Amino acid sequence: MPRQETFFEQQTGDRKVEVLKTYDQSYAREAFESMDEISMQKLWDTLRPEAIYDAEGLPKLNDPNDVNGEAQAFLWDELVEQALEDPRAYPRATSFFIVNESRGNINSSLYVSPDWPSAEAFAKARLADEALSE
């Protein structure tokens, strides 16, 4: 597996939330595919495609008419594009920040982003949500 580095880690009881930086696009894709609707919306808000493209032509997340998954495919492509570290470099290097949570023996990837600040915010919000529910 290509190298990865832990950027954030916090454990409370048997629950651990971490943010990993990875250059492994396959791992990032797995994390992306495991994201729920709320996480997808947070990623959309982070990437801000409406600031880059004509908002009228953008697919809508969670659109019941999007049976082919065009919005998720678009979101993945935009994530990869924004994860590109240096467009002049060869080979092309993309880096992703993945938020993982483990509780006991259950490990889950919850969020993937091209930038550290949004991944850290997601991880801390996850920890805050858990603290409120206790």
Side-chain angles (χ1 to χ4, degrees):
M1 174 184 287
R3 68 189 168 118
Q4 55 190 26
E5 179 181 351
T6 302
F7 267 58
F8 174 85
E9 182 177 82
Q10 188 167 344
Q11 184 153 357
T12 306
D14 70 339
R15 181 169 176 249
K16 180 172 78 169
V17 175
E18 66 181 0
V19 178
L20 297 178
K21 180 179 182 180
T22 184
Y23 295 90
D24 185 346
Q25 192 167 328
S26 296
Y27 178 38
R29 182 65 188 213
E30 285 178 34
F32 178 81
E33 290 176 358
S34 69
M35 289 170 51
D36 63 16
E37 290 179 7
I38 294 168
S39 300
M40 289 279 183
Q41 186 61 57
K42 287 185 185 299
L43 178 59
W44 186 280
D45 296 343
T46 295
L47 298 178
R48 300 185 51 220
E50 64 280 347
I52 301 168
Y53 307 103
D54 178 19
E56 293 293 319
L58 292 175
K60 306 284 186 257
L61 278 179
N62 308 318
D63 181 353
N65 297 321
D66 184 9
V67 294
N68 295 324
E70 290 177 18
Q72 285 189 353
F74 170 80
L75 190 59
W76 169 252
D77 290 344
E78 190 60 26
L79 170 62
V80 171
E81 185 66 30
Q82 290 191 31
L84 183 63
E85 289 202 341
D86 182 353
R88 299 164 296 177
Y90 183 82
R92 295 175 56 133
T94 51
S95 61
F96 304 89
F97 294 87
I98 299 175
V99 178
N100 293 317
E101 180 179 86
S102 59
R103 188 178 295 226
N105 293 330
I106 300 171
N107 300 310
S108 304
S109 294
L110 304 175
Y111 182 76
V112 60
S113 173
D115 67 75
W116 157 245
S118 69
E120 179 187 33
F122 186 94
K124 288 183 175 180
R126 183 79 180 173
L127 289 164
D129 287 347
E130 181 72 16
L132 291 175
S133 66
E134 292 179 346

